[in-house]
């Protein structure tokens, strides 16, 4: 008997798990995210310094959320417009982190990105966290995206592949500081979101875990 592999090692440190969530789980997750968005509405992040708006809209779940405005990029415990704390990370998302990350502590941040058909995310690195030993886990819902990934230098060669609804991606080790982005959304490729578009969840550990205190 042969064990079915969990996913495809795209390159060292990058695991692609097509169909990690089945159709029923995807629908349940969208319902949970709709509920979370009532507490933490999507906002339009702005580029540091210039204030140019992102085409992607964002919200967060968890104890820390990623925000960006003229003052810079940062993690903070409250919504930038309502000042309310972020809602909790849905249980099935925490379960996915437990199954996929291999990291013995829970994630603190779940960034929720919403891409309308014309939204994109330029090539960038994720380096606003302090816990670089922890992997990043991402979950795609709705329309397919063309994802691009390169190396730790902006000038390194890049490759692209598609991320479909229900797919998970895990980035660890040498891929943690790889440049990456979303080239485009394939409009009409999924019926999960009634009005189309794509949601991406990015789970991260932001702060190094506290060591146990001896008693
Ligand atoms: C590779 N989001 O929010 S998730 C982001 O689909 C972001 O919304 C994209 O890049 C999206 O920062 C891509 C996949 C992802 C997330 C974190 C990474 C890829 C990564 C960290 C290091 C290397
Ligand atoms: Fe990123």
């Amino acid at each position: 008997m042969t064990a079915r592999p969990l996913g495809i090692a795209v390159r060292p440190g990058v695991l692609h798990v097509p169909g990690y969530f089945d159709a029923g789980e995807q629908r349940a997750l969208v319902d949970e995210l709709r509920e979370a968005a009532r507490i933490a509405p999507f906002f339009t992040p702005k580029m540091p310094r210039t204030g140019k708006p992102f085409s992607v809209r964002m919200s967060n779940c968890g104890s820390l959320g990623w925000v960006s405005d003229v003052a810079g990029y940062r993690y903070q415990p409250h919504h930038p417009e309502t000042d309310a704390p972020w809602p909790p990370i849905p249980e099935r998302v925490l379960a996915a982190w437990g199954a996929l990350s291999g990291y013995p502590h829970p994630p603190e941040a779940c960034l929720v990105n919403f891409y309308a058909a014309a939204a994109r995310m330029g090539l960038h690195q994720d380096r606003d966290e302090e816990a670089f030993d922890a992997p990043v886990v991402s979950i795609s819902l709705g329309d397919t995206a063309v994802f691009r990934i390169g190396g730790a230098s902006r000038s390194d060669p890049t490759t692209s592949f598609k991320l479909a609804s229900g797919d998970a991606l895990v980035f660890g080790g040498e891929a943690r500081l790889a440049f990456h982005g979303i080239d485009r959304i394939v409009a009409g490729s999924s019926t999960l979101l009634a009005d189309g578009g794509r949601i991406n969840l990015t789970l991260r550990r932001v702060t190094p875990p506290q060591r146990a205190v001896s008693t």
Side-chain angles (χ1 to χ4, degrees), residues 121 124-126 180-181 202 204:
M121 190 177 285
H124 67 278
Q125 285 173 304
D126 290 15
H180 59 279
T202 308
R204 299 184 177 91

Side-chain angles (χ1 to χ4, degrees), residues 22 32 58-59 72 74 77-78 93 96 103 155 175-176 182:
D22 68 24
E32 289 157 4
M58 295 184 176
S59 187
R74 64 195 173 275
H78 53 267
V93 173
Y103 193 73
S155 56
R176 182 61 184 78
I182 295 293

Side-chain angles (χ1 to χ4, degrees), residues 107-128:
E108 294 166 297
C110 175
L111 175 64
V112 185
N113 290 334
F114 177 75
Y115 294 78
R120 279 154 221 297
M121 190 177 285
L123 216 57
H124 67 278
Q125 285 173 304
D126 290 15
R127 46 188 316 159
D128 301 329

